[in-house]
Amino acid sequence: MTFIEGEIIIARPAAQVFDFAADQRNEPRYNPRMIRAEKLTGGPVGKGTVFRSAVRAMGQPAEMRCELTGYHRPSQLASRTTMAQADIAGTLNFEPVPGGTRMRWAWVVRPKGASRLLSPVISRIGRRQELAIWTGMKRYLEAHPQPGRDV
């Protein structure tokens, strides 16, 4: 089991950051490793929403299923992601701060099969990848006044 935590300040209101992060269909806009993301459940994004997506991992697509297990707008999202290599559960917290929003992430990664032997490596790579993903979202949100409307 591996823990991955971090935080970033995004110069946008908490509700805007929350809404954008909650809808995984936005992720290909700011995460170059995300090949695709689709919403499987009907209705608005909220607790119980399920997404199916794929990321590029070692040159191959890695399929994922992500369910929002907690949805407390605009302060906290919780999710559970399952994939062949690992199960990931955790939260994103959104806190208004002067000039924007502090977004914190905390994930528990449970590698499966042979991946369990790589836990120390997964921890280091995971921290770097999470920071890169959320830095990409920060850049995207700060460059687009109304994300999703100007695509």
Side-chain angles (χ1 to χ4, degrees):
M1 183 165 37
T2 299
F3 299 95
I4 298 173
E5 297 177 309
E7 68 177 51
I8 195 165
I9 304 289
I10 301 172
R12 289 289 179 260
Q16 183 183 7
V17 178
F18 178 97
D19 291 344
F20 195 74
D23 190 338
Q24 192 179 52
R25 293 172 295 183
N26 290 318
E27 193 165 340
R29 297 178 188 184
Y30 59 86
N31 179 357
R33 294 182 64 237
M34 180 71 68
I35 300 166
R36 65 176 154 62
E38 62 183 311
K39 186 170 166 273
L40 298 180
T41 50
V45 173
K47 184 176 180 181
T49 297
V50 176
F51 298 94
R52 179 175 49 211
S53 60
V55 293
R56 205 174 293 98
M58 295 185 289
Q60 299 294 319
E63 299 288 327
M64 300 185 297
R65 178 189 184 276
C66 179
E67 178 179 353
L68 295 180
T69 56
Y71 188 90
H72 306 283
R73 186 177 189 272
S75 59
Q76 186 182 68
L77 280 171
S79 65
R80 179 178 50 243
T81 300
T82 52
M83 52 195 308
Q85 301 85 350
D87 290 332
I88 305 163
T91 58
L92 292 174
N93 289 287
F94 306 85
E95 175 190 354
V97 295
T101 301
R102 174 179 289 119
M103 188 182 88
R104 291 186 172 129
W105 57 89
W107 308 116
V108 176
V109 181
R110 289 184 168 81
K112 297 177 184 175
S115 296
R116 288 185 302 218
L117 301 173
L118 301 173
S119 283
V121 174
I122 290 170
S123 180
R124 280 193 306 277
I125 292 171
R127 282 196 236 319
R128 249 192 342 260
Q129 285 180 348
E130 283 299 297
L131 183 57
I133 290 167
W134 302 122
T135 299
M137 188 177 81
K138 169 188 171 68
R139 286 185 190 123
Y140 184 89
L141 286 173
E142 291 176 356
H144 296 82
Q146 296 181 328
R149 298 176 195 255
D150 51 354
V151 233

